[in-house]
């Protein structure tokens, strides 16, 4: 960590800061420049609060040299992490596709979609039981009943279940019923929820917040890992920008960035980012080409009558066709599907 | 609501959509343009899910004409709402200032700051007991112990307490101990928490999410109001933009915008937006000049030893001096302080 | 176009607006809703200035139903446009790769890189002679001398030249010496330059501005086309977002979006977006998978001694290897390279 | 400047970088940390290109400690700069208001508005002759004819003229006819134009680009100053964010930020940022309260028939009333008007 002192900072102020840090076990290396003095802080600075150092009025700025995350940091864990979901490995050579409807609606619907996506090549079933909606007047999901229907679909197809949790009081139920617990973009910094999930050993699919930096996103993974649960899968689903033609801007450069910074696997959700089914296909192909470890895609057998987000759902036939192309791209870049 | 059909949309597709809406009690008015047909939907469209209409492939786009919120909408409630906090009115002619430290640290600290800000003219005491932190390794607040200390400070000074809640399981305790329950920016779309707060009748200070549009923010207020609790105070605290010199960009145009769209009061947090104490003063003055109903300002008796965010805290003397200037500006624009 | 009147708008105000539009040759269709009246404007609204209609205080908002561009609009030109550069076709089945150094530095350098990229499979040579730099103290390019060196490299290799223009007074020279004239992101709305380029018939590579919406970008193409020059190639090179790990966020969803809205070809610049060479490869592959018509990639024979942006340049060997993978992906999605 | 080497960087790579910098006259101070080595570069790094250092693969990142601007930097010029426009001082104790229509339309219009704003207390007349428009089909301004009309209005009222230049070939004419030359947001990084303006000694009003960081904006001022023209006035006019209710987000925190970083004066344009006249008043008051050195406000005698941007123009009566309130606020914060 680098502490830049203001021009003319009195020696005793520098000393005060240095001594504070030395007393906390850090070493300090000083660089005296033309206009300003710089203090280089040596030690494990990941637990140092940058704001506590900025408080001294003689400090111009404080800059981190090293990322503030440890357990999620590739520097200390050079090989890729592989998360095991009932024997399916996420983060290895094989790319994993999770597919299914935005919302669980009826038993018939979820079983029908589950069978279709399995046939198409999906390895897991996604489907929302608890739905975060911008409007209190929109359909909020079937809730516990939705979890029941997902379990039936799993029995019928053998596909593990991925579904979103919205509050910590449901964790016990999710741990029992669900194979991958999804934390939605809006809850990426719901720290109380993250802490509780860190106490389980369930795989967690952690979506990136709408305006979360890659660092903040990995810090949210660190919250879960700090609690003892290393089974974190990162999921990029579009960030908020000034562009309004697409609902969000899918940030595919997050794939190589995450792979550089962290050892955790990363999957891409092309459905939520664009909000339009005809964009899902090119963006899914692009995600695989860019090195994603998996995809999470909305598929619905009857999008026109979907209770939510039908406009971004693929029909089963298109999904199956897309899977064929994805397989081809995976092969070109040395992966499997 | 306006539904724009694609050029060449077959008549039966238009009819299908029209009949669906008519069966749900809406009236439809059709405009046949040169290239495209437009369906105007008449009725209470606030409960209509825009995505359900976009799903038909012959629909080009769907545009809302009217805001999707009702209870928070000024159109149906033209006069300003005034929220009463133990007799202090927020949203009336008088501007209300809430001040105090980022975190409650010790009994001595919170009592000392509370006395200082009261002397300076603050009407309420703010102070964090539960702290949302980006890093799991940062100080997370004194939690329940912090609430106890806030209560002591309230007894000593008579100042009502504003403090942040981070999970629904603490609501009962907050309802008992706290005067205004703050929902932080990161929880603005923690819908489960909002729904539970809607069942209380406590004043809620709802911070705007880092990348929330004004409409989404008011929709989160609508969640609380839809549950029966109309005591919502909106709080702008900076949005996330590409600019990195300031921590966030304080969006003061949200003040006139919110006043146009909604009847709810709005207060400004200049401390979190900038992250630097020397910016707090000009931005606080600007907020009052732009018509804010109140301010929430960080004040600390010893910023250098604060356990969090000292760099953005004013010392009591500066706070008192600032209050003098604010009073002058309030008078110029026809408000009181 | 849709004009939404405020609740309670007096009849005569509606009439005033209606008559103004009718006198300009538009038809008006009125929808009287529960709370507000809507005027549907029928006719060619692309030349209507939305702000002139918003000026009436009884107008709540004005919404475009149809895009404001005509010549660039796929609605009126359903088949893909193909731009011909000395016989090389951009926008057809075959994907075109332009490669070369950020800046032209010496004769030896540009010839060496030109030969390498030709060998690697590039169809055109890129290289900056006039360089837009954030700092007046940075290297500003070899200017006219750079154009001379590019011409020599073209003679040696036969590769057509793509290079950036920075002011209208250089157009004559560029028309003579250059095969594709590049308009940089910072000049995307330099309307005087666009108008002058519209008077030539040279292919123009129009980069998207750092914070330009897709609509604004196509409107800048419209400026060139309105002048009579239809040879416009759009180029996405990263947009500015809150994310700081990458220099810019490459918006690959612009590919399907542009293809939907316009008939113009689109190429991707993965080098400038990321600013880091190791991100160029995955993003180039993703761009092809998403349907780009071409790529523009920085390649340098000696990045460590490049005079600008070496950090984002590929070495010739890596470029050649990348081209192999790109060819494979192109084939999978039914394109050629 | 700080160069962070990757963990395990070989000694000879560090040496290579160190020697390169030492040969260019810099001193190097090395900090050997637990995981990485840091090189502190001592000397005038404002002319060092950060990208040239990032190119070595063993470099993890390069961080500036000091701003890359010199002439505009307050560090080397602690007192405020005051720009003199025909005797009117911008940047001193007195706040300067420039007002007038978006576009010059007719002799009658511009004289009438000029007289009104003079009466209201404006010190300068603004008015567009050359208009940058997103659409080639929108009114592009009266051009040279507009300059003529502005000169007549100046003769009638004595008010100095502020108007926008769009291309370098018009500089001679502007230098003769105009008192302050405005560079629009879209041309903030039209470096050729900036260089040419640096050769004049005219006051330049430099608007901030839609997505320009404060540092980039000051770097554009540096371009003008590096050419020898120190008469630069910065103008904030709203930045582009995800928020769509306002046209742009007025960043008032740019006022204290610019005052901290630079000695140049800063004025605020509340009209373009919001795009709605009823927002201009609160934002103008906020700008003064935050410490702006001036305002540039759109005023039109007949907004409903304005040829551009009438919706954001104040009528003369409202302008005069606003000026009264602004005067009051100025006094409170120790300024004059």
């Amino acid at each position: 960590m680098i502490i830049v002192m203001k021009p003319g900072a009195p020696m005793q102020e520098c000393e005060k800061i240095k001594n504070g840090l030395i007393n906390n076990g850090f070493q300090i290396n000083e660089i005296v420049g033309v206009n300003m003095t710089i203090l280089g802080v040596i030690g494990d600075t990941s637990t140092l609060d940058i704001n506590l150092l900025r408080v001294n009025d003689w400090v111009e700025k404080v800059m981190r040299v090293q990322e503030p995350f440890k357990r999620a940091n590739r520097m200390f864990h050079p090989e890729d992490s592989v998360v095991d979901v009932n024997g399916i490995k996420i983060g290895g050579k094989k790319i994993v596709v999770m597919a299914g409807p935005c919302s669980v609606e009826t038993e018939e619907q979820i079983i029908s979609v589950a069978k279709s996506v399995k046939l198409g090549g999906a390895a897991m079933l996604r489907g929302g039981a608890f739905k975060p909606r911008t409007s209190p007047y929109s359909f909020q999901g079937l809730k516990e009943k939705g979890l029941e229907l997902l379990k039936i679909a799993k029995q019928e197809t053998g596909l593990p279940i991925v579904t979103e949790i919205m509050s910590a009081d449901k964790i016990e139920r999710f741990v029992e019923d669900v194979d991958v617990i999804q934390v939605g973009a809006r809850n990426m910094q719901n720290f109380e929820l993250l802490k509780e999930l860190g106490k389980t050993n369930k795989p967690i699919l952690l979506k990136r917040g709408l305006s979360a930096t890659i660092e903040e996103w990995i810090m949210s993974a660190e919250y879960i890992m700090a609690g003892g649960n290393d089974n974190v899968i990162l999921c990029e689903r579009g960030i908020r920008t000034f562009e309004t033609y697409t609902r969000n801007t899918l940030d595919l450069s997050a794939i190589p960035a995450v792979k550089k910074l962290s050892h955790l696997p990363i999957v891409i959700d092309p459905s939520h980012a664009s909000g339009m089914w005809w964009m899902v296909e090119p963006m899914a192909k692009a995600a695989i080409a860019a090195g994603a470890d998996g995809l999470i895609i909305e598929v619905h057998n009857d999008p026109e009558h979907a209770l939510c987000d039908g406009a971004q759902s693929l029909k089963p036939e298109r999904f199956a066709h897309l899977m064929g192309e994805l397989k081809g791209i995976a092969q070109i870049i040395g992966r499997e599907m």
Side-chain angles (χ1 to χ4, degrees), chain A:
Chain A
M1 189 174 277
I2 296 292
I3 302 173
V4 183
M5 301 300 293
K6 284 203 180 120
M11 190 118 79
Q12 66 267 36
E13 293 295 327
C14 293
E15 289 304 315
K16 203 163 72 181
I17 291 171
K18 282 163 66 176
N19 292 336
L21 287 161
I22 288 165
N23 290 342
N24 280 293
F26 295 96
Q27 280 180 59
I28 305 295
N29 223 316
E30 203 166 340
I31 300 176
V32 181
V34 181
N35 297 303
M36 18 178 80
T37 292
I38 290 170
L39 307 176
V41 185
I42 301 172
D44 174 11
T45 55
S46 63
T47 58
L48 254 185
D49 188 340
I50 210 164
N51 287 315
L52 296 190
L53 294 166
R54 286 174 52 231
V55 77
N56 185 308
D57 265 358
W58 287 103
V59 170
E60 177 72 24
K61 50 186 155 192
V62 183
M63 300 188 287
R64 275 196 190 281
V65 165
Q66 205 173 310
E67 279 69 37
F69 41 88
K70 292 196 290 189
R71 288 161 200 268
N73 199 327
R74 190 176 281 273
M75 186 181 287
F76 310 120
H77 185 305
E79 66 284 3
D80 290 343
S81 276
V82 176
V83 176
D84 187 311
V85 181
N86 306 1
I88 297 166
K89 312 237 182 268
I90 303 183
K93 200 181 181 193
K94 200 160 176 183
I95 293 165
V96 174
V97 176
M98 312 161 188
C102 179
S103 293
V104 182
E105 296 166 16
T106 63
E107 182 173 332
E108 195 199 352
Q109 173 244 17
I110 192 66
I111 290 179
S112 152
V113 178
K115 286 182 174 169
S116 299
V117 299
K118 189 182 181 186
L119 211 65
M124 296 193 203
L125 175 66
R126 60 145 292 154
F130 295 85
K131 300 296 307 169
R133 305 304 300 272
T134 308
S135 168
Y137 311 122
S138 298
F139 172 60
Q140 310 269 326
L142 294 184
K143 301 181 181 170
E144 279 81 0
K145 169 86 173 119
L147 293 182
E148 288 306 321
L149 299 183
L150 282 168
K151 275 164 68 179
I152 295 172
K154 179 180 171 181
Q155 275 173 329
E156 291 279 325
T157 58
L159 294 178
I161 295 167
V162 189
T163 196
E164 180 169 353
I165 197 165
M166 284 177 63
S167 54
D169 61 314
K170 298 287 189 301
I171 286 184
E172 213 172 323
R173 179 74 190 266
F174 270 66
V175 166
E176 200 160 309
D177 289 356
V178 162
D179 301 292
V180 177
I181 302 179
Q182 176 182 319
V183 176
R186 289 171 184 79
N187 278 317
M188 190 202 87
Q189 291 192 321
N190 182 338
F191 299 119
E192 295 307 307
L193 179 60
L194 299 179
K195 282 179 201 166
E196 293 303 316
L197 291 170
K199 296 176 188 161
T200 74
N201 62 356
K202 273 279 158 182
I204 309 296
L205 185 86
L206 179 65
K207 290 206 163 183
R208 181 180 182 183
L210 267 81
S211 68
T213 61
I214 290 171
E215 184 176 301
E216 288 171 337
W217 185 22
I218 299 179
M219 285 307 284
S220 285
E222 187 86 7
Y223 255 98
I224 298 169
M225 297 170 88
N229 183 356
D230 286 338
N231 299 306
V232 180
I233 305 157
L234 298 169
C235 178
E236 155 71 26
R237 43 77 72 212
I239 56 173
R240 185 157 276 181
T241 69
F242 59 83
E243 179 58 65
T244 54
Y245 186 75
T246 42
R247 186 156 60 183
N248 295 119
T249 299
L250 188 65
D251 179 12
L252 290 180
S253 56
I255 300 170
V258 158
K259 296 249 164 246
K260 191 88 170 183
L261 293 168
S262 177
H263 51 87
L264 296 173
I266 175 169
V267 307
I268 300 294
D269 176 349
S271 307
H272 278 88
S274 61
M276 297 174 281
W277 69 263
W278 53 269
M279 263 201 187
V280 171
E281 297 181 51
M283 298 319 282
K285 288 184 258 183
I288 296 304
D293 294 309
L295 294 171
I296 180 161
I297 297 181
E298 288 195 9
V299 176
H300 200 285
N301 50 347
D302 182 13
E304 280 198 45
H305 296 96
L307 290 180
C308 98
D309 281 350
Q312 70 200 34
S313 293
L314 294 186
K315 288 186 185 161
E317 312 83 77
R318 294 204 74 98
F319 174 69
H321 177 259
L322 171 62
M323 288 294 281
E325 287 190 296
L326 297 179
K327 220 164 281 189
I329 295 172
Q331 222 171 345
I332 298 287
I333 62 160
R335 301 286 289 262
E336 282 166 21
M337 245 178 97

